[in-house]
Amino acid sequence: MEFVERDPLAASLGSLKLQRPFYEQTTVAVARQLIGKYLVCHHPEGTTTGRIVETEAYVGPDDRACHASRGRTQRTEVMFGPAGHAYVYFIYGFHYMLNIVTEPAGRPAAVLIRAVQPVAGIPLMLRRRRSDRVRNLANGPGKLCEAFKINRAFNGIDMCGDLLYVEDRGEPAPKILARPRIGVDYAGRWRHKPWRFLLRGSEFVSRM
DNA sequence: CAAGAGATCATCT
DNA sequence: GATGATCTCTTGA
């Protein structure tokens, strides 16, 4: 049980913060195991929490869908560092994407958090998203970042710290589906890899 | 409800 | 100068 932290407060609540060894596992293993865990973000405006229902694995330099396949650049630098750090980037001129770096330093890979089921801080998320439907708050990677107010300031932060992290709340292993990743049609044979993971039956995924 | 367009900018060629 | 790990709105059936 080296993956979690025995923080007395967290333990008393039945929750354990995921620690670095968890994120150092293979990227596909991390992506799969993150399903059903809880993403927590503390912010002056309030705390937001969501149960992770959808992830994607971007496994390294060979994976043509992974940004690291285009080399070590300013943008991808975080992915080349140690596991358990946030890789946040801006895309399409509108949206931020939240990833968690995986595998030991020097092996650039990450897991994209694509959707969560809102659990706490829902009024705050409704305001940020200018929406009135809970199902529409974080059912997509861009929406999730808007609901949690995750932006470039989060790039590189340690997710084993106290600002943004993932908790294991000790629930039984959920039923998980594996599907091809979304939006990577350009990636040749890599586009078919079943590295998108979903919580079976969840209505909070970006699409079925 | 499905399909398509438009929005808008950091990053890399 | 092109493009993207997306979202929202509009259109039309």
Side-chain angles (χ1 to χ4, degrees):
Chain A
M1 289 300 290
E2 59 184 346
F3 293 161
V4 293
E5 172 185 73
R6 283 182 182 69
D7 168 33
L9 177 58
S12 71
L13 298 170
S15 294
L16 296 168
K17 189 184 296 181
L18 297 180
Q19 296 299 291
R20 205 158 328 275
F22 174 88
Y23 299 113
E24 287 171 344
Q25 300 178 92
T26 66
T27 306
V28 168
V30 174
R32 179 175 264 284
Q33 293 177 66
L34 279 174
I35 300 296
K37 303 295 194 292
Y38 289 78
L39 179 69
V40 181
C41 183
H42 296 295
H43 188 276
E45 293 175 359
T47 298
T48 46
T49 304
R51 187 175 188 223
I52 298 171
V53 298
E54 182 177 343
T55 62
E56 280 177 0
Y58 290 85
V59 307
D62 296 335
D63 176 4
R64 291 241 325 263
C66 182
H67 290 166
S69 70
R70 277 148 264 171
R72 185 168 187 156
T73 65
Q74 191 162 20
R75 178 172 71 157
T76 60
E77 185 61 27
V78 184
M79 264 200 287
F80 286 78
H85 290 256
Y87 167 45
V88 179
Y89 66 90
F90 187 63
I91 194 166
Y92 296 122
F94 284 87
H95 307 290
Y96 291 98
M97 304 281 117
L98 170 66
N99 299 253
I100 307 178
V101 175
T102 56
E103 311 204 19
R107 300 206 34 147
V111 172
L112 171 68
I113 311 297
R114 283 191 57 91
V116 306
Q117 170 178 356
V119 170
I122 292 176
L124 180 55
M125 295 194 222
L126 288 168
R127 243 178 294 139
R128 286 171 173 169
R129 289 271 303 127
R130 297 172 294 294
S131 175
D132 55 358
R133 285 170 38 229
V134 173
R135 230 175 53 193
N136 188 235
L137 292 184
N139 59 334
K143 298 179 187 180
L144 184 161
C145 285
E146 189 173 30
F148 280 66
K149 207 166 186 174
I150 289 168
N151 52 41
R152 76 183 70 256
F154 285 76
N155 189 42
I157 73 159
D158 187 359
M159 294 195 61
C160 303
D162 294 322
L163 185 60
L164 177 67
Y165 52 87
V166 181
E167 285 180 353
D168 182 346
R169 297 194 170 177
E171 297 173 351
K175 301 287 188 197
I176 295 170
L177 300 179
R179 294 283 182 273
R181 295 171 293 181
I182 305 276
V184 296
D185 291 351
Y186 59 83
R189 68 184 179 90
W190 296 91
R191 76 178 176 174
H192 305 294
K193 301 289 183 184
W195 291 340
R196 171 177 177 239
F197 299 99
L198 306 114
L199 180 63
R200 195 174 77 174
S202 175
E203 53 182 340
F204 296 94
V205 297
S206 64
R207 42 180 127 164
M208 306 295 172

